[in-house]
Amino acid sequence: MKKIFLLLLIVAIAACKQKTETPKTDKELDELFALMQGSFNSEAQAKADSTYYNISLHMYPIWEDKGNYLYVEQALNSMQNKPYRQRIYEVTRDTDSTFKSAIYTLKTDSLWIGKWK
């Protein structure tokens, strides 16, 4: 009787392990998150139209093991060491056809200046 119970226990454990699946990746979310990453600026627009400023925008991933988080830093291109906006964006899927980003402020944003590098 003990042998049958032990055999059933081993079979049950093996069945549980087989049912364990890795979570499916969201390819569209991954693609959006990848497209958002990088350094961007409005230099061409500022040259073409003097009413626009040359703004730099840096968006780079952080906390990659926790989800889709970006450190975001925005500054006048001529004043990179004094950004006027620093945020953390968390990018997630909202519905089948929409995404959302939660935007967080930083308590001591001066410690983060240039961390996108």
Side-chain angles (χ1 to χ4, degrees):
M1 187 69 158
K2 287 182 182 179
K3 289 180 182 180
I4 293 174
F5 177 75
L6 183 59
L7 180 62
L8 289 174
L9 181 62
I10 292 171
V11 170
I13 291 171
C16 288
K17 284 189 176 185
Q18 289 176 356
K19 290 182 182 179
T20 305
E21 295 179 14
T22 57
K24 294 180 181 177
T25 60
D26 186 333
K27 290 181 183 180
E28 291 176 325
L29 177 60
D30 293 344
E31 184 177 343
L32 171 64
F33 189 65
L35 288 170
M36 292 176 72
Q37 296 175 37
S39 292
F40 312 93
N41 67 57
S42 59
E43 182 178 8
Q45 187 176 19
K47 283 181 180 177
D49 186 339
S50 63
T51 63
Y52 287 93
Y53 292 102
N54 183 2
I55 303 297
S56 67
L57 173 66
H58 304 288
M59 301 176 74
Y60 287 91
I62 57 172
W63 307 323
E64 294 178 55
D65 59 327
K66 295 182 181 188
N68 295 318
Y69 290 90
L70 295 167
Y71 169 65
V72 178
E73 188 171 292
Q74 201 168 356
L76 289 171
N77 210 33
S78 61
M79 299 179 66
Q80 293 288 309
N81 61 335
K82 294 184 181 182
Y84 61 83
R85 181 170 292 129
Q86 296 167 265
R87 301 286 188 268
I88 302 294
Y89 289 9
E90 178 186 15
V91 184
T92 57
R93 180 176 286 279
D94 191 29
T95 68
D96 285 344
S97 60
T98 60
F99 302 94
K100 67 179 179 178
S101 64
I103 301 172
Y104 305 98
T105 57
L106 300 163
K107 287 186 180 182
T108 314
D109 55 2
S110 62
L111 297 176
W112 286 72
I113 294 174
K115 295 296 185 192
W116 58 271
K117 296 175 187 174

